[in-house]
Each structure stands twice: as C-alpha cells, then as structure tokens.
Amino acid sequence: AAGGTGKTRLALELAATVGHRFPVGAVAVELADGGENDVVPRLAEAVLGNDAAARTEAATDLLHAITRHLAGQRALIVLDNCEHVLPTVNRVVAALTHRCSEVAVLATSRERLGVDGERVLLLEPLSTVRRSHMVAPATELFLDRAVTANPGIVVDDAALQAVETICAAVEGSPLGIELAAARVRTLTPRQIADRLGDDLHLLRQRHSNAPERHRSLDAAIAWSYELLEPDERRLLAWSSVFVGGFEIAAAETIGSAAGIPDVIDVIESLVEKSLLTSQHVGAHMRYRLAEPIRQFARARLDEFGQLDLALESHFDHCRSAARDAVTQLDGHVDPPLFTSLSAELENFLTAIHRAADRGAHKSAMSLASSLDLYWAETGHIGVAMQVFDQLARRHPDHPDTSIIHVPMLWVATMAGELPRAQDIRDLLEAQMSEGLLNPIAVGGASFGIGFVESGGGDAMAAAKAWSLAARGAAPFVPALARQAYWSAGQSATAAGDNELALGLYQAADRLDAPTPGWWPTFVDTMRRVARTYQGEDHVDALHRGTLALEDTGLKMRFVLASAFVSLALFHSEAPDRADHWWRRSMSTAREIGNLWACWVMLECAAWSAMERGDDHAAAMLWHAGDAFGGHRGYGLWPVVRDETDRRRAVVRARTPAAFDELVGRPPLTLTEAIDIALQP
C-alpha cells in the first residue's frame, strides 16, 4: 500500500487486539528510519527485551539468538515499513518462519516481501463514496479529526459536501485527510476545499515524476507544507534529520542553527497541524514525523542546500546530549530518566555513523567514547562494543584511534570479549612505551588495563595497574584518580590483601575532587567488605549499604558493590543474605549486558545451590561457568577461586554423580545458566 494509508496504525491496532492470543505477546519493530544493518539489531532489542546480556552474548549472531529465544513459542512480530530494506527483511522472516513455526510475522510495506507462505492484504485508501444513510469512511475520518481540532465546528449539508470534496481531492488518503482536517482551526471546510482543489492540481503536476499512487499524498503533504509560516517550514525540514524522534532540547538546538527564534511555539503549531506527533517518553514529551512527512521534509532540506548544516547541528545536539547524559548518570537516577536517555540511542548511533561516513573520524570516535557511562548504565554494553570495534577496525592506523581503544578496554572486558581487550592492551602498552600517547590518554589506558588484568583473574596485577593509573591521573583528572584508587582497592580485596585495600581507599579519600552523592556509601561499603575478610562482623551494615546504593539507580556501581558484598556475606556465613545480593547483582548485570559480572556471580549461584543441597544444580552452573570462562579467557580472582575449589571438593565427595553426568554433555550458554540461576 502507498504511504499515508494507515498501514502502521492498522498493524499496531491489530497487534493490540490479537496480542492476547500469543503467550509471548506482540512486539513491534520500526524500520522506517533505519538501514539494512539496523533490521536485526532492532529486532533483537524488541524480542530479547531487557535481557541485554542475551543480546551481548549473541552479538556475533543476533539472528540465531532471536530464533533460539523464540523457538517453540507463540509470538507476533510486527515489522513496520519494510520497503527500503526488503533483502534483509526477507532473510529475517525466512529464518523466523523456518526455525520458529509458532511465530507469526505481520509486515507493512509498499511492496511484497516475496517469502514463502506470504499472504498479502492490499490496504486501499478510504472510500469516498457515501454508504446508504451514512457518510463515506473518508468523510467520517475527516469529521472525527475536525471535531477534535475545532469542537465548535458546524457541519451542515454545505460543509458536508465540502468535506466530501476534500476527501476526494486527496483520494481517500488517511494522512492527507488528517492534514486537511487540522486546518479547520483557521479555515472552514469550504475554504479548505476551494484552496485544496486548485493547489492539488498544480502540485500533482509538480510531482508528476512520482508513482501514480504516491502523487495525491505527496501533493497533500506539499499543500499543507506550503500553508506553513517560514519558521514552521524550516523547523519541519530540519527536524527530518532526527531518528527515532526528538525532545524540545533537540529541537531548540537545530532551531537555533536554522535561525528560528521561538522553537516551542513552532513545535506546538506543527503538532496542531498534524505534521508532528507527540507522546510522553519517560519524563519528557517526544516528537516525531510520520514517515511520508519525514521523507518529504528531508527532500525539502536537500533542495534548500541545508542538509549538511542540519546534519552538523544534529551531531552538535548529540554531543551536548552525551555530556548531559553522563552528568545525569553520575547522580541519583530514576526510571523516567533511564527511559528518556534510552530513547536517544538511535540518534546517538546515527550521529556517530554519519560522522564516520563523511570522514570526520575523530568526531565520531570522540562522541562514541564520551558515551561510556551511557552505554553501561542504559544496558547497551554490547552495542558499544560493536560501535567501538567498527570504528577501530575501519581506521586502525588513524592517529586518534586511541580515543576508541581506551574505553574499549573496559567495554570489551565487560562484554565478554576479553581477547579483544587483551589485544588492545598490548597495542596501547606499546604506544605508551614509545611515548605516542598524551598524559590523559596514558591515564585512561592505565585505568582500562586494570579491567583487563582483573578479567583475566590476576587481581593483584589489576590493583597495581589501577594504582598506577591513579597516580598518573591525580594531577590532571582527580575524579578519575579517585575512581582508580577504589578500583585498585576492590582488586586488592579480590587478591586477598585487605590491608592494601584499606590503604588505597584512604588514598582515594585524600584527593581533592568533587564528591558524588553515591561515593561515601560506596566506599564505606567496600571498606566493610575488606574488614569482613579480616574477621569483623558487618553483615547488617553491608546489607544496609548495598540497599542504599541500589536505591540510587546507578546500575554499574551497584553491580560492582553487590558482587563484592555477596562474596563477603558468604565469607561471613550469611548465605541467605548473600543469595539475595548475588541475585540482584546478576539481574542488574544481565540488564546492562555485563557478561563478566554475570559470569562471576554464576559462582555465587553455584555456592547457593550447594548451600541448599542441590549439588546437581551447582555442578551444572560450574560446568557452564567453566565453558564460558575458558572460551572467553576469563579467570577467577583468588578469593573466589579458593572458595570455589573448596566447595567443589565438598560436592564431588558427597555427590560424585553430579559431575560425572555432565561429561560429554554440551554446557549451557551463559544466558541459559543465568535463567536457571535466577529461578526462585
């Protein structure tokens, strides 16, 4: 069906109506403003939901992860606006229908998909012919929208005839009808009909190179567009550079670049005229253009010769939004903020890719790198790894590639790509030895190397790397130095040297740096972990401190704290408290895609299974952990390894069959093991 006939609205309404018939439910994937490479990641985001760990673990073969997740389940997948990505959609739908026999796919497109078993429903424009004793469907839609726009409108026979003329002029296009109906705030139906009739004839001629089925809609959009004030035209055209919508702050950024003095008034006017749609996302209002309008507006932007300026303005907005996001994520975070920030993902990704495509490699890498906390806290560690890796491999010899390599050290470690992190560490160490990195880059690289050493299980080497990073960063970036000191302290505890850990926490406290609200509770909790390993009783205080950290909403810091607290609670022989916190740590790590933390907490899950006498479950979880760690190169910290060795010996002695029955059996994937571990 042609654009503007209501394909999207009908598909979503149908999904809402029949979704209850599918136990897994219905998921919708918007493809209009993406390309071939966006189809599978967006489908994975929708199908795998909040399970970022599953997306991250399967990053090399997302389609396989999707079909494995949906196998044997009844679900409805809505793929909206497929016409420009048909080859990939064809491959995806073929895989879904072949491997997931219970999955139904509803696709909207201007063309057939061309897959086996496809059934096509041609969506015609609304009829403009009167039904017996009733108005035509097209007229009914116009009247409904007109009354909403102007409740005082008088609909007599003359007005009704004018409405029928309008609907015939736009050939029953629902979007064209809505655009025309929005004008009843300032024009009568007869005035609209008179103006529309003459203008549409000329505009159809102007758009005579478009396919016949598109000319009426193009002309209707053009008619509505040409009635706009100059500022409204400019903002509509410039807003076409956004992907996935935008907020007022974004509109003000591009509006300023476009020379529009009062953006809020213009936004309100465009919403009233049905050229923009609005909806609440998180704590903010978000705006977007219907796809036919976005395409029309983008063409106008190109005609004006302002496309490059608008793209630069979009990048400037994303750069500013990235700085704001990192600042916001360093304080107390509530769910609406996470929702609002997550909604910007497509704009961030698009800005990075556009910059790289136009040769602004340093800008692309800087923006991607500046989002480090955003990637982690909003559950997109796997996405960050893909973005970093693509940029790094695209220009490996670029003099500024260290901008990407530095955050890749910790992102790759957390994303389950430790070998890649180790390769980058070796490269950065060579560059540091040759004096090729500036002092700030050296500090960042030293900080990232601590993650790599810790991921490999050498906690003392990690403590030394972080201590070195702290001393190097202290004169330049005290906040980074403080973070490095407490990371070193955690690693010293993981290595079994708690006196060293307490000394490193004191060094962090001595630094003159801004103190985020989470810092005192975090460091106090980590001190209590170290003292617990020294034989002191801090069970209740550890519980209270970790609960307070969870309440901040800061997921990455909570994962780190609750993981160490879980280990300390097991050491204090408080397995019930430990069970609570490793579950919360693992759940949150899964949510943000931190595979490394999930893997470490898998040891705690096995310990809990052993505590409740389920040796078979413990052995199965150890089997999965050994396979993942061995394949990805991870190693256990000494305090974890020693306790695991002791517990495995106990299980092997009392239930040898628990291990014997796993010989030759393929291990669970990490995400499968997580699902089992988190069962009540």
Side-chain angles (χ1 to χ4, degrees):
T5 52
K7 299 185 298 297
T8 296
R9 187 173 300 180
L10 179 60
L12 296 180
E13 185 68 27
L14 178 61
T17 302
V18 304
H20 67 279
R21 301 181 187 176
F22 297 86
V24 178
V27 296
V29 184
E30 173 58 64
L31 302 176
D33 48 16
E36 298 280 355
N37 294 331
D38 298 313
V39 175
V40 176
R42 290 188 183 186
L43 180 60
E45 189 92 11
V47 170
L48 300 177
N50 290 328
D51 197 347
R55 298 197 304 271
T56 303
E57 186 180 11
T60 55
D61 193 352
L62 279 175
L63 185 55
H64 176 70
I66 293 166
T67 55
R68 184 182 64 199
H69 178 81
L70 292 173
Q73 301 193 67
R74 294 192 67 224
L76 174 62
I77 309 295
V78 179
L79 301 176
D80 191 28
N81 289 298
C82 302
E83 54 274 348
H84 63 300
V85 288
L86 282 177
T88 301
V89 170
N90 188 303
R91 177 172 61 88
V92 167
V93 173
L96 286 171
T97 54
H98 177 68
R99 303 175 197 169
C100 311
S101 58
E102 297 297 308
V103 170
V105 179
L106 174 61
T108 73
S109 176
R110 297 183 184 185
E111 302 178 39
R112 296 171 181 264
L113 300 188
V115 297
D116 292 340
E118 178 180 12
R119 282 187 278 183
V120 177
L121 173 64
L122 183 61
L123 187 59
E124 299 284 356
L126 294 176
S127 173
T128 59
V129 179
R130 284 197 189 192
R131 295 173 292 190
S132 58
H133 308 295
M134 298 177 67
V135 297
T139 305
E140 186 178 358
L141 175 63
F142 184 101
L143 294 175
D144 177 77
R145 298 299 187 265
V147 170
T148 300
N150 181 4
I153 187 174
V154 176
V155 183
D156 53 20
D157 287 342
L160 193 60
Q161 289 180 357
V163 170
E164 290 175 339
T165 300
I166 294 167
C167 293
V170 299
E171 298 181 359
S173 164
L175 180 57
I177 290 169
E178 293 195 1
L179 292 174
R183 289 289 171 182
V184 300
R185 293 183 179 90
T186 54
L187 300 172
T188 67
R190 174 47 56 194
Q191 288 174 314
I192 295 172
D194 290 343
R195 297 188 63 173
L196 183 63
D198 294 337
D199 292 347
L200 219 56
H201 175 73
L202 295 174
L203 289 165
R204 282 199 190 100
Q205 297 301 316
R206 190 186 304 171
H207 292 77
S208 60
N209 59 335
E212 182 65 37
R213 64 184 184 280
H214 297 167
R215 287 184 201 168
S216 290
L217 177 61
D218 287 346
I221 296 172
W223 173 79
S224 188
Y225 172 82
E226 293 189 7
L227 292 176
L228 298 177
E229 298 296 327
D231 283 352
E232 294 172 330
R233 293 184 187 182
R234 279 203 302 278
L235 188 60
L236 187 72
W238 280 60
S239 64
S240 67
V241 298
F242 289 104
V243 177
F246 57 93
E247 296 181 2
I248 281 291
E252 288 177 329
T253 298
I254 66 166
S256 175
I260 301 170
D262 197 338
V263 169
I264 294 178
D265 283 351
V266 176
I267 288 284
E268 290 177 352
S269 179
L270 292 174
V271 171
E272 287 180 354
K273 295 177 172 67
S274 297
L275 289 161
L276 282 178
T277 59
S278 61
Q279 67 176 126
H280 274 100
V281 176
H284 301 279
M285 190 68 77
R286 200 163 181 85
Y287 305 91
R288 70 183 301 159
L289 289 76
E291 184 57 19
I293 296 175
R294 191 183 73 85
Q295 293 177 7
F296 177 90
R298 180 65 173 261
R300 302 292 78 72
L301 189 61
D302 205 9
E303 287 177 2
F304 300 156
Q306 295 179 325
L307 179 58
D308 289 342
L309 288 174
L311 292 177
E312 289 177 10
S313 181
H314 176 265
F315 185 88
D316 290 342
H317 159 70
C318 290
R319 182 165 48 197
S320 175
R323 288 195 297 266
D324 292 344
V326 170
T327 300
Q328 290 172 303
L329 289 169
D330 202 31
H332 191 282
V333 182
D334 55 18
L337 175 61
F338 273 114
T339 302
S340 296
L341 291 177
S342 294
E344 289 296 338
L345 176 64
E346 291 300 328
N347 275 313
F348 286 141
L349 292 175
T350 300
I352 292 167
H353 293 315
R354 284 172 177 166
D357 288 342
R358 66 175 183 266
H361 308 302
K362 184 176 180 179
S363 294
M365 291 187 287
S366 296
L367 177 55
S369 177
S370 71
L371 287 163
D372 55 353
L373 192 59
Y374 172 86
W375 301 121
E377 293 287 0
T378 58
H380 292 100
I381 290 177
V383 174
M385 182 60 202
Q386 291 177 8
V387 170
F388 288 163
D389 206 38
Q390 288 170 3
L391 291 173
R393 293 185 188 279
R394 189 170 184 173
H395 296 283
D397 299 324
H398 193 281
D400 295 305
T401 304
S402 61
I403 295 172
I404 286 296
H405 280 156
V406 167
M408 275 186 78
L409 290 169
W410 72 262
V411 169
T413 300
M414 292 184 177
E417 301 292 340
L418 186 59
R420 179 73 169 127
Q422 290 167 334
D423 289 342
I424 294 169
R425 175 201 58 192
D426 295 344
L427 176 62
L428 288 172
E429 285 181 337
Q431 291 176 335
M432 286 190 287
S433 68
E434 296 173 15
L436 299 178
L437 301 183
N438 62 47
I440 294 178
V442 169
S446 300
F447 182 78
I449 288 170
F451 284 95
V452 181
E453 300 292 358
S454 186
D458 194 339
M460 188 52 70
K464 291 177 180 177
W466 271 315
S467 297
L468 177 64
R471 290 193 295 272
F476 306 101
V477 191
L480 176 62
R482 183 173 59 189
Q483 185 173 340
Y485 271 131
W486 64 251
S487 295
Q490 285 182 312
S491 283
T493 295
D497 192 338
N498 295 290
E499 284 298 330
L500 176 60
L502 293 170
L504 289 165
Y505 294 142
Q506 287 182 342
D509 286 339
R510 286 195 294 268
L511 287 172
D512 183 17
T515 302
W518 55 271
W519 171 258
T521 302
F522 186 94
V523 175
D524 178 67
T525 302
M526 292 301 98
R527 283 194 179 98
R528 292 181 186 276
V529 168
R531 288 171 178 151
T532 294
Y533 277 103
Q534 290 180 321
E536 298 180 17
D537 181 5
H538 293 276
V539 170
D540 290 338
L542 287 172
H543 180 77
R544 289 193 301 271
T546 315
L547 188 62
L549 286 169
E550 186 174 31
D551 287 343
T552 66
L554 296 168
K555 292 180 169 60
M556 274 294 297
R557 294 181 179 90
F558 169 70
V559 165
L560 292 171
S562 54
F564 275 88
V565 165
S566 301
L567 298 172
L569 289 170
F570 274 115
H571 185 80
S572 295
E573 298 183 357
D576 291 343
R577 289 280 182 87
D579 185 85
H580 172 80
W581 286 117
W582 73 252
R583 287 176 180 274
R584 294 299 305 129
S585 181
M586 179 183 279
S587 296
T588 307
R590 177 173 70 174
E591 182 183 343
I592 63 176
N594 189 335
L595 301 190
W596 176 32
C598 287
W599 175 74
V600 174
M601 289 299 94
L602 207 58
E603 293 297 319
C604 290
W607 298 358
S608 283
M610 175 194 172
E611 291 281 351
R612 63 177 181 266
D614 193 346
D615 290 350
H616 290 274
M620 180 174 58
L621 294 172
W622 276 320
H623 189 219
D626 289 348
F628 182 85
H631 178 63
R632 305 287 181 117
Y634 290 98
L636 294 174
W637 303 319
V639 296
V640 181
R641 184 183 62 242
D642 293 347
E643 181 64 12
T644 286
D645 289 345
R646 184 187 71 80
R647 288 175 177 269
R648 288 195 189 204
V650 171
V651 171
R652 191 174 294 278
R654 74 187 184 190
T655 317
F659 289 98
D660 294 342
E661 65 188 13
L662 295 173
V663 176
R665 182 185 299 182
L668 300 172
T669 66
L670 181 63
T671 49
E672 289 170 341
I674 292 169
D675 286 338
I676 291 174
L678 292 177
Q679 288 177 355

